[in-house]
């Protein structure tokens, strides 16, 4: 990745909101969190679509999912991470890969967020990268 692309990724991470809201409940004994939400590549141009999302936490949880989108904005679900520390959770990084439908060029958005286990009996949390 060129220096300009790295600077662009850093600027995008600051410019685009990351909303991490939790669903209603999670078992405090269950170290898993399942992420779901929406992602957008629209800032790269109308020909860029989301193709993958990966998440890595400092606590050791990591996973990725393929996104088969045909538009710049898409939904993803069932990105399961384990283990996630209870309480404050873990610092984590999400990397969204966006691919041009015209020439295959890839761009990425990298965002840092707090990966937190929801309270209660559910394990689903929402992470939007817009």
């Amino acid at each position: 990745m060129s220096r300009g692309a790295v600077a662009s990724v850093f600027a995008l991470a600051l410019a685009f909101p990351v909303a991490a809201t939790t669903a209603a409940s999670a078992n405090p004994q269950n170290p898993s969190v399942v992420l779901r939400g929406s992602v957008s590549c629209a800032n790269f141009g109308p020909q860029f679509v989301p193709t993958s999302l990966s998440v890595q936490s400092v606590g050791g949880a990591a996973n990725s999912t393929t996104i088969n989108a045909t538009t710049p904005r898409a939904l993803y679900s069932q990105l399961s991470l384990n283990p996630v520390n209870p309480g404050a959770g873990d610092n984590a990084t999400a990397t969204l890969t966006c691919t041009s439908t015209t020439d295959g060029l890839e761009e990425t958005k990298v965002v840092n967020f707090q990966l937190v286990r929801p309270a209660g009996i559910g394990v689903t949390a929402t992470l939007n990268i817009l």
Side-chain angles (χ1 to χ4, degrees), residues 3-41:
R3 261 192 252 166
V6 171
S8 174
V9 168
F10 180 73
L12 290 171
L14 296 176
F16 289 90
V18 175
T21 58
T22 57
S25 310
N27 180 345
Q29 303 305 313
N30 185 340
S32 295
V33 172
V34 176
L35 294 177
R36 68 174 180 205
S38 60
V39 292
S40 176
C41 296

PDB file of all heavy atoms in Angstrom, residues 3-41:
ATOM      1  N   ARG A   3       2.163   5.280   0.506  1.00  0.00           N
ATOM      2  CA  ARG A   3       2.033   6.183   1.644  1.00  0.00           C
ATOM      3  C   ARG A   3       0.737   6.966   1.567  1.00  0.00           C
ATOM      4  O   ARG A   3       0.086   7.198   2.574  1.00  0.00           O
ATOM      5  CB  ARG A   3       3.215   7.148   1.682  1.00  0.00           C
ATOM      6  CG  ARG A   3       4.252   6.699   2.659  1.00  0.00           C
ATOM      7  CD  ARG A   3       5.242   7.785   2.877  1.00  0.00           C
ATOM      8  NE  ARG A   3       6.464   7.350   2.216  1.00  0.00           N
ATOM      9  CZ  ARG A   3       7.475   8.104   1.945  1.00  0.00           C
ATOM     10  NH1 ARG A   3       7.445   9.375   2.242  1.00  0.00           N
ATOM     11  NH2 ARG A   3       8.535   7.627   1.355  1.00  0.00           N
ATOM     12  N   GLY A   4       0.360   7.377   0.358  1.00  0.00           N
ATOM     13  CA  GLY A   4      -0.896   8.106   0.185  1.00  0.00           C
ATOM     14  C   GLY A   4      -2.086   7.260   0.571  1.00  0.00           C
ATOM     15  O   GLY A   4      -3.029   7.737   1.180  1.00  0.00           O
ATOM     16  N   ALA A   5      -2.040   5.973   0.219  1.00  0.00           N
ATOM     17  CA  ALA A   5      -3.140   5.070   0.564  1.00  0.00           C
ATOM     18  C   ALA A   5      -3.206   4.865   2.066  1.00  0.00           C
ATOM     19  O   ALA A   5      -4.287   4.816   2.648  1.00  0.00           O
ATOM     20  CB  ALA A   5      -2.979   3.736  -0.143  1.00  0.00           C
ATOM     21  N   VAL A   6      -2.038   4.748   2.715  1.00  0.00           N
ATOM     22  CA  VAL A   6      -2.015   4.586   4.178  1.00  0.00           C
ATOM     23  C   VAL A   6      -2.576   5.825   4.844  1.00  0.00           C
ATOM     24  O   VAL A   6      -3.383   5.743   5.771  1.00  0.00           O
ATOM     25  CB  VAL A   6      -0.584   4.283   4.669  1.00  0.00           C
ATOM     26  CG1 VAL A   6      -0.518   4.341   6.182  1.00  0.00           C
ATOM     27  CG2 VAL A   6      -0.129   2.931   4.164  1.00  0.00           C
ATOM     28  N   ALA A   7      -2.176   7.011   4.362  1.00  0.00           N
ATOM     29  CA  ALA A   7      -2.707   8.248   4.923  1.00  0.00           C
ATOM     30  C   ALA A   7      -4.205   8.330   4.700  1.00  0.00           C
ATOM     31  O   ALA A   7      -4.953   8.752   5.581  1.00  0.00           O
ATOM     32  CB  ALA A   7      -2.007   9.446   4.299  1.00  0.00           C
ATOM     33  N   SER A   8      -4.654   7.896   3.519  1.00  0.00           N
ATOM     34  CA  SER A   8      -6.071   7.897   3.218  1.00  0.00           C
ATOM     35  C   SER A   8      -6.830   6.972   4.152  1.00  0.00           C
ATOM     36  O   SER A   8      -7.885   7.313   4.655  1.00  0.00           O
ATOM     37  CB  SER A   8      -6.284   7.468   1.763  1.00  0.00           C
ATOM     38  OG  SER A   8      -7.647   7.323   1.494  1.00  0.00           O
ATOM     39  N   VAL A   9      -6.281   5.793   4.402  1.00  0.00           N
ATOM     40  CA  VAL A   9      -6.922   4.839   5.315  1.00  0.00           C
ATOM     41  C   VAL A   9      -7.016   5.430   6.703  1.00  0.00           C
ATOM     42  O   VAL A   9      -8.043   5.354   7.362  1.00  0.00           O
ATOM     43  CB  VAL A   9      -6.154   3.496   5.342  1.00  0.00           C
ATOM     44  CG1 VAL A   9      -6.632   2.629   6.481  1.00  0.00           C
ATOM     45  CG2 VAL A   9      -6.330   2.776   4.019  1.00  0.00           C
ATOM     46  N   PHE A  10      -5.928   6.074   7.164  1.00  0.00           N
ATOM     47  CA  PHE A  10      -5.936   6.682   8.495  1.00  0.00           C
ATOM     48  C   PHE A  10      -6.985   7.785   8.553  1.00  0.00           C
ATOM     49  O   PHE A  10      -7.751   7.862   9.503  1.00  0.00           O
ATOM     50  CB  PHE A  10      -4.552   7.221   8.846  1.00  0.00           C
ATOM     51  CG  PHE A  10      -4.504   7.862  10.194  1.00  0.00           C
ATOM     52  CD1 PHE A  10      -4.553   7.086  11.335  1.00  0.00           C
ATOM     53  CD2 PHE A  10      -4.433   9.238  10.330  1.00  0.00           C
ATOM     54  CE1 PHE A  10      -4.520   7.667  12.588  1.00  0.00           C
ATOM     55  CE2 PHE A  10      -4.400   9.825  11.572  1.00  0.00           C
ATOM     56  CZ  PHE A  10      -4.440   9.043  12.705  1.00  0.00           C
ATOM     57  N   ALA A  11      -7.019   8.634   7.532  1.00  0.00           N
ATOM     58  CA  ALA A  11      -7.997   9.714   7.507  1.00  0.00           C
ATOM     59  C   ALA A  11      -9.408   9.160   7.487  1.00  0.00           C
ATOM     60  O   ALA A  11     -10.296   9.684   8.152  1.00  0.00           O
ATOM     61  CB  ALA A  11      -7.757  10.613   6.292  1.00  0.00           C
ATOM     62  N   LEU A  12      -9.639   8.095   6.742  1.00  0.00           N
ATOM     63  CA  LEU A  12     -10.974   7.503   6.686  1.00  0.00           C
ATOM     64  C   LEU A  12     -11.380   6.933   8.027  1.00  0.00           C
ATOM     65  O   LEU A  12     -12.534   7.015   8.421  1.00  0.00           O
ATOM     66  CB  LEU A  12     -11.018   6.411   5.621  1.00  0.00           C
ATOM     67  CG  LEU A  12     -10.941   6.914   4.185  1.00  0.00           C
ATOM     68  CD1 LEU A  12     -10.779   5.743   3.245  1.00  0.00           C
ATOM     69  CD2 LEU A  12     -12.159   7.730   3.843  1.00  0.00           C
ATOM     70  N   ALA A  13     -10.432   6.348   8.731  1.00  0.00           N
ATOM     71  CA  ALA A  13     -10.752   5.782  10.034  1.00  0.00           C
ATOM     72  C   ALA A  13     -11.242   6.872  10.974  1.00  0.00           C
ATOM     73  O   ALA A  13     -12.096   6.634  11.819  1.00  0.00           O
ATOM     74  CB  ALA A  13      -9.540   5.075  10.621  1.00  0.00           C
ATOM     75  N   LEU A  14     -10.709   8.090  10.818  1.00  0.00           N
ATOM     76  CA  LEU A  14     -11.147   9.185  11.660  1.00  0.00           C
ATOM     77  C   LEU A  14     -12.433   9.823  11.149  1.00  0.00           C
ATOM     78  O   LEU A  14     -13.247  10.294  11.927  1.00  0.00           O
ATOM     79  CB  LEU A  14     -10.040  10.240  11.727  1.00  0.00           C
ATOM     80  CG  LEU A  14      -8.741   9.792  12.373  1.00  0.00           C
ATOM     81  CD1 LEU A  14      -7.710  10.906  12.287  1.00  0.00           C
ATOM     82  CD2 LEU A  14      -8.955   9.371  13.804  1.00  0.00           C
ATOM     83  N   ALA A  15     -12.614   9.830   9.828  1.00  0.00           N
ATOM     84  CA  ALA A  15     -13.726  10.551   9.237  1.00  0.00           C
ATOM     85  C   ALA A  15     -15.034   9.778   9.237  1.00  0.00           C
ATOM     86  O   ALA A  15     -16.092  10.363   9.216  1.00  0.00           O
ATOM     87  CB  ALA A  15     -13.374  10.942   7.801  1.00  0.00           C
ATOM     88  N   PHE A  16     -14.970   8.468   9.229  1.00  0.00           N
ATOM     89  CA  PHE A  16     -16.201   7.691   9.129  1.00  0.00           C
ATOM     90  C   PHE A  16     -16.571   7.112  10.475  1.00  0.00           C
ATOM     91  O   PHE A  16     -15.746   6.512  11.146  1.00  0.00           O
ATOM     92  CB  PHE A  16     -16.050   6.587   8.078  1.00  0.00           C
ATOM     93  CG  PHE A  16     -16.019   7.162   6.713  1.00  0.00           C
ATOM     94  CD1 PHE A  16     -14.822   7.539   6.142  1.00  0.00           C
ATOM     95  CD2 PHE A  16     -17.185   7.402   6.029  1.00  0.00           C
ATOM     96  CE1 PHE A  16     -14.789   8.120   4.891  1.00  0.00           C
ATOM     97  CE2 PHE A  16     -17.171   7.976   4.780  1.00  0.00           C
ATOM     98  CZ  PHE A  16     -15.968   8.342   4.217  1.00  0.00           C
ATOM     99  N   PRO A  17     -17.834   7.284  10.857  1.00  0.00           N
ATOM    100  CA  PRO A  17     -18.252   6.831  12.181  1.00  0.00           C
ATOM    101  C   PRO A  17     -18.253   5.318  12.304  1.00  0.00           C
ATOM    102  O   PRO A  17     -18.562   4.612  11.369  1.00  0.00           O
ATOM    103  CB  PRO A  17     -19.678   7.388  12.304  1.00  0.00           C
ATOM    104  CG  PRO A  17     -20.147   7.517  10.902  1.00  0.00           C
ATOM    105  CD  PRO A  17     -18.923   7.838  10.087  1.00  0.00           C
ATOM    106  N   VAL A  18     -17.886   4.873  13.474  1.00  0.00           N
ATOM    107  CA  VAL A  18     -18.001   3.459  13.807  1.00  0.00           C
ATOM    108  C   VAL A  18     -18.945   3.405  14.992  1.00  0.00           C
ATOM    109  O   VAL A  18     -18.644   3.945  16.045  1.00  0.00           O
ATOM    110  CB  VAL A  18     -16.642   2.850  14.194  1.00  0.00           C
ATOM    111  CG1 VAL A  18     -16.825   1.417  14.644  1.00  0.00           C
ATOM    112  CG2 VAL A  18     -15.677   2.936  13.042  1.00  0.00           C
ATOM    113  N   ALA A  19     -20.080   2.789  14.801  1.00  0.00           N
ATOM    114  CA  ALA A  19     -21.044   2.678  15.880  1.00  0.00           C
ATOM    115  C   ALA A  19     -20.996   1.255  16.405  1.00  0.00           C
ATOM    116  O   ALA A  19     -21.220   0.322  15.659  1.00  0.00           O
ATOM    117  CB  ALA A  19     -22.444   3.009  15.371  1.00  0.00           C
ATOM    118  N   ALA A  20     -20.657   1.108  17.666  1.00  0.00           N
ATOM    119  CA  ALA A  20     -20.661  -0.215  18.269  1.00  0.00           C
ATOM    120  C   ALA A  20     -21.730  -0.208  19.346  1.00  0.00           C
ATOM    121  O   ALA A  20     -21.521   0.312  20.424  1.00  0.00           O
ATOM    122  CB  ALA A  20     -19.300  -0.552  18.847  1.00  0.00           C
ATOM    123  N   THR A  21     -22.886  -0.736  19.040  1.00  0.00           N
ATOM    124  CA  THR A  21     -23.966  -0.806  20.002  1.00  0.00           C
ATOM    125  C   THR A  21     -24.268  -2.265  20.261  1.00  0.00           C
ATOM    126  O   THR A  21     -24.077  -3.104  19.399  1.00  0.00           O
ATOM    127  CB  THR A  21     -25.233  -0.111  19.466  1.00  0.00           C
ATOM    128  OG1 THR A  21     -25.605  -0.737  18.246  1.00  0.00           O
ATOM    129  CG2 THR A  21     -24.998   1.367  19.254  1.00  0.00           C
ATOM    130  N   THR A  22     -24.707  -2.562  21.442  1.00  0.00           N
ATOM    131  CA  THR A  22     -24.925  -3.958  21.786  1.00  0.00           C
ATOM    132  C   THR A  22     -26.395  -4.324  21.704  1.00  0.00           C
ATOM    133  O   THR A  22     -27.266  -3.498  21.920  1.00  0.00           O
ATOM    134  CB  THR A  22     -24.415  -4.256  23.208  1.00  0.00           C
ATOM    135  OG1 THR A  22     -25.084  -3.381  24.108  1.00  0.00           O
ATOM    136  CG2 THR A  22     -22.922  -4.062  23.296  1.00  0.00           C
ATOM    137  N   ALA A  23     -26.639  -5.567  21.382  1.00  0.00           N
ATOM    138  CA  ALA A  23     -27.984  -6.106  21.403  1.00  0.00           C
ATOM    139  C   ALA A  23     -28.385  -6.338  22.852  1.00  0.00           C
ATOM    140  O   ALA A  23     -27.591  -6.147  23.762  1.00  0.00           O
ATOM    141  CB  ALA A  23     -28.029  -7.395  20.598  1.00  0.00           C
ATOM    142  N   ALA A  24     -29.580  -6.804  23.077  1.00  0.00           N
ATOM    143  CA  ALA A  24     -30.176  -6.816  24.403  1.00  0.00           C
ATOM    144  C   ALA A  24     -29.440  -7.619  25.465  1.00  0.00           C
ATOM    145  O   ALA A  24     -29.453  -7.249  26.594  1.00  0.00           O
ATOM    146  CB  ALA A  24     -31.600  -7.296  24.311  1.00  0.00           C
ATOM    147  N   SER A  25     -28.856  -8.735  25.216  1.00  0.00           N
ATOM    148  CA  SER A  25     -28.365  -9.529  26.319  1.00  0.00           C
ATOM    149  C   SER A  25     -27.273 -10.501  25.921  1.00  0.00           C
ATOM    150  O   SER A  25     -27.204 -10.917  24.794  1.00  0.00           O
ATOM    151  CB  SER A  25     -29.489 -10.362  26.912  1.00  0.00           C
ATOM    152  OG  SER A  25     -30.599  -9.582  27.169  1.00  0.00           O
ATOM    153  N   ALA A  26     -26.445 -10.927  26.891  1.00  0.00           N
ATOM    154  CA  ALA A  26     -25.421 -11.949  26.648  1.00  0.00           C
ATOM    155  C   ALA A  26     -25.117 -12.671  27.947  1.00  0.00           C
ATOM    156  O   ALA A  26     -25.237 -12.116  29.017  1.00  0.00           O
ATOM    157  CB  ALA A  26     -24.147 -11.333  26.101  1.00  0.00           C
ATOM    158  N   ASN A  27     -24.721 -13.894  27.836  1.00  0.00           N
ATOM    159  CA  ASN A  27     -24.345 -14.689  28.993  1.00  0.00           C
ATOM    160  C   ASN A  27     -22.969 -14.228  29.461  1.00  0.00           C
ATOM    161  O   ASN A  27     -22.002 -14.337  28.721  1.00  0.00           O
ATOM    162  CB  ASN A  27     -24.319 -16.163  28.593  1.00  0.00           C
ATOM    163  CG  ASN A  27     -23.934 -17.061  29.734  1.00  0.00           C
ATOM    164  OD1 ASN A  27     -23.421 -16.621  30.751  1.00  0.00           O
ATOM    165  ND2 ASN A  27     -24.189 -18.336  29.557  1.00  0.00           N
ATOM    166  N   PRO A  28     -22.839 -13.728  30.694  1.00  0.00           N
ATOM    167  CA  PRO A  28     -21.542 -13.246  31.153  1.00  0.00           C
ATOM    168  C   PRO A  28     -20.489 -14.358  31.225  1.00  0.00           C
ATOM    169  O   PRO A  28     -19.304 -14.083  31.258  1.00  0.00           O
ATOM    170  CB  PRO A  28     -21.827 -12.662  32.533  1.00  0.00           C
ATOM    171  CG  PRO A  28     -23.181 -13.101  32.902  1.00  0.00           C
ATOM    172  CD  PRO A  28     -23.885 -13.553  31.673  1.00  0.00           C
ATOM    173  N   GLN A  29     -20.916 -15.602  31.202  1.00  0.00           N
ATOM    174  CA  GLN A  29     -19.974 -16.721  31.237  1.00  0.00           C
ATOM    175  C   GLN A  29     -19.518 -17.133  29.834  1.00  0.00           C
ATOM    176  O   GLN A  29     -18.594 -17.911  29.679  1.00  0.00           O
ATOM    177  CB  GLN A  29     -20.612 -17.932  31.932  1.00  0.00           C
ATOM    178  CG  GLN A  29     -21.091 -17.637  33.340  1.00  0.00           C
ATOM    179  CD  GLN A  29     -19.985 -17.066  34.219  1.00  0.00           C
ATOM    180  OE1 GLN A  29     -18.878 -17.580  34.244  1.00  0.00           O
ATOM    181  NE2 GLN A  29     -20.293 -15.993  34.921  1.00  0.00           N
ATOM    182  N   ASN A  30     -20.192 -16.654  28.805  1.00  0.00           N
ATOM    183  CA  ASN A  30     -19.866 -17.021  27.432  1.00  0.00           C
ATOM    184  C   ASN A  30     -18.843 -16.027  26.874  1.00  0.00           C
ATOM    185  O   ASN A  30     -19.132 -14.843  26.777  1.00  0.00           O
ATOM    186  CB  ASN A  30     -21.140 -17.007  26.583  1.00  0.00           C
ATOM    187  CG  ASN A  30     -20.906 -17.500  25.178  1.00  0.00           C
ATOM    188  OD1 ASN A  30     -19.788 -17.522  24.682  1.00  0.00           O
ATOM    189  ND2 ASN A  30     -21.978 -17.885  24.522  1.00  0.00           N
ATOM    190  N   PRO A  31     -17.657 -16.483  26.484  1.00  0.00           N
ATOM    191  CA  PRO A  31     -16.627 -15.559  26.006  1.00  0.00           C
ATOM    192  C   PRO A  31     -16.780 -15.151  24.542  1.00  0.00           C
ATOM    193  O   PRO A  31     -15.905 -14.486  23.994  1.00  0.00           O
ATOM    194  CB  PRO A  31     -15.345 -16.356  26.215  1.00  0.00           C
ATOM    195  CG  PRO A  31     -15.761 -17.771  26.056  1.00  0.00           C
ATOM    196  CD  PRO A  31     -17.159 -17.847  26.610  1.00  0.00           C
ATOM    197  N   SER A  32     -17.885 -15.526  23.904  1.00  0.00           N
ATOM    198  CA  SER A  32     -18.080 -15.221  22.485  1.00  0.00           C
ATOM    199  C   SER A  32     -18.887 -13.953  22.271  1.00  0.00           C
ATOM    200  O   SER A  32     -19.763 -13.616  23.059  1.00  0.00           O
ATOM    201  CB  SER A  32     -18.827 -16.360  21.786  1.00  0.00           C
ATOM    202  OG  SER A  32     -18.058 -17.521  21.796  1.00  0.00           O
ATOM    203  N   VAL A  33     -18.597 -13.267  21.165  1.00  0.00           N
ATOM    204  CA  VAL A  33     -19.407 -12.151  20.688  1.00  0.00           C
ATOM    205  C   VAL A  33     -19.592 -12.348  19.192  1.00  0.00           C
ATOM    206  O   VAL A  33     -18.645 -12.665  18.478  1.00  0.00           O
ATOM    207  CB  VAL A  33     -18.728 -10.789  20.956  1.00  0.00           C
ATOM    208  CG1 VAL A  33     -19.487  -9.661  20.287  1.00  0.00           C
ATOM    209  CG2 VAL A  33     -18.596 -10.531  22.445  1.00  0.00           C
ATOM    210  N   VAL A  34     -20.822 -12.181  18.726  1.00  0.00           N
ATOM    211  CA  VAL A  34     -21.122 -12.260  17.304  1.00  0.00           C
ATOM    212  C   VAL A  34     -21.429 -10.842  16.830  1.00  0.00           C
ATOM    213  O   VAL A  34     -22.326 -10.187  17.357  1.00  0.00           O
ATOM    214  CB  VAL A  34     -22.320 -13.191  17.031  1.00  0.00           C
ATOM    215  CG1 VAL A  34     -22.680 -13.178  15.550  1.00  0.00           C
ATOM    216  CG2 VAL A  34     -22.020 -14.603  17.507  1.00  0.00           C
ATOM    217  N   LEU A  35     -20.653 -10.373  15.850  1.00  0.00           N
ATOM    218  CA  LEU A  35     -20.866  -9.033  15.301  1.00  0.00           C
ATOM    219  C   LEU A  35     -21.772  -9.097  14.079  1.00  0.00           C
ATOM    220  O   LEU A  35     -21.734 -10.050  13.308  1.00  0.00           O
ATOM    221  CB  LEU A  35     -19.539  -8.403  14.888  1.00  0.00           C
ATOM    222  CG  LEU A  35     -18.566  -8.087  16.012  1.00  0.00           C
ATOM    223  CD1 LEU A  35     -17.268  -7.535  15.434  1.00  0.00           C
ATOM    224  CD2 LEU A  35     -19.167  -7.119  17.008  1.00  0.00           C
ATOM    225  N   ARG A  36     -22.562  -8.054  13.923  1.00  0.00           N
ATOM    226  CA  ARG A  36     -23.390  -7.868  12.734  1.00  0.00           C
ATOM    227  C   ARG A  36     -23.522  -6.366  12.526  1.00  0.00           C
ATOM    228  O   ARG A  36     -23.263  -5.578  13.437  1.00  0.00           O
ATOM    229  CB  ARG A  36     -24.755  -8.496  12.906  1.00  0.00           C
ATOM    230  CG  ARG A  36     -25.578  -7.777  13.949  1.00  0.00           C
ATOM    231  CD  ARG A  36     -26.989  -8.280  14.036  1.00  0.00           C
ATOM    232  NE  ARG A  36     -27.651  -7.508  15.077  1.00  0.00           N
ATOM    233  CZ  ARG A  36     -28.677  -7.939  15.753  1.00  0.00           C
ATOM    234  NH1 ARG A  36     -29.160  -9.128  15.524  1.00  0.00           N
ATOM    235  NH2 ARG A  36     -29.226  -7.185  16.669  1.00  0.00           N
ATOM    236  N   GLY A  37     -23.895  -5.964  11.327  1.00  0.00           N
ATOM    237  CA  GLY A  37     -24.080  -4.540  11.079  1.00  0.00           C
ATOM    238  C   GLY A  37     -24.020  -4.199   9.611  1.00  0.00           C
ATOM    239  O   GLY A  37     -24.213  -5.053   8.749  1.00  0.00           O
ATOM    240  N   SER A  38     -23.734  -2.937   9.336  1.00  0.00           N
ATOM    241  CA  SER A  38     -23.649  -2.482   7.951  1.00  0.00           C
ATOM    242  C   SER A  38     -22.282  -1.870   7.703  1.00  0.00           C
ATOM    243  O   SER A  38     -21.628  -1.367   8.610  1.00  0.00           O
ATOM    244  CB  SER A  38     -24.769  -1.487   7.633  1.00  0.00           C
ATOM    245  OG  SER A  38     -24.686  -0.365   8.479  1.00  0.00           O
ATOM    246  N   VAL A  39     -21.860  -1.959   6.448  1.00  0.00           N
ATOM    247  CA  VAL A  39     -20.577  -1.422   6.014  1.00  0.00           C
ATOM    248  C   VAL A  39     -20.805  -0.643   4.724  1.00  0.00           C
ATOM    249  O   VAL A  39     -21.736  -0.925   3.981  1.00  0.00           O
ATOM    250  CB  VAL A  39     -19.524  -2.534   5.794  1.00  0.00           C
ATOM    251  CG1 VAL A  39     -19.149  -3.183   7.116  1.00  0.00           C
ATOM    252  CG2 VAL A  39     -20.016  -3.583   4.813  1.00  0.00           C
ATOM    253  N   SER A  40     -19.931   0.338   4.480  1.00  0.00           N
ATOM    254  CA  SER A  40     -20.073   1.142   3.274  1.00  0.00           C
ATOM    255  C   SER A  40     -18.712   1.459   2.671  1.00  0.00           C
ATOM    256  O   SER A  40     -17.767   1.785   3.379  1.00  0.00           O
ATOM    257  CB  SER A  40     -20.804   2.444   3.584  1.00  0.00           C
ATOM    258  OG  SER A  40     -20.852   3.262   2.426  1.00  0.00           O
ATOM    259  N   CYS A  41     -18.647   1.379   1.356  1.00  0.00           N
ATOM    260  CA  CYS A  41     -17.455   1.746   0.583  1.00  0.00           C
ATOM    261  C   CYS A  41     -17.734   2.957  -0.289  1.00  0.00           C
ATOM    262  O   CYS A  41     -16.939   3.281  -1.185  1.00  0.00           O
ATOM    263  CB  CYS A  41     -17.021   0.567  -0.284  1.00  0.00           C
ATOM    264  SG  CYS A  41     -16.491  -0.867   0.653  1.00  0.00           S
TER     265      CYS A  41
END
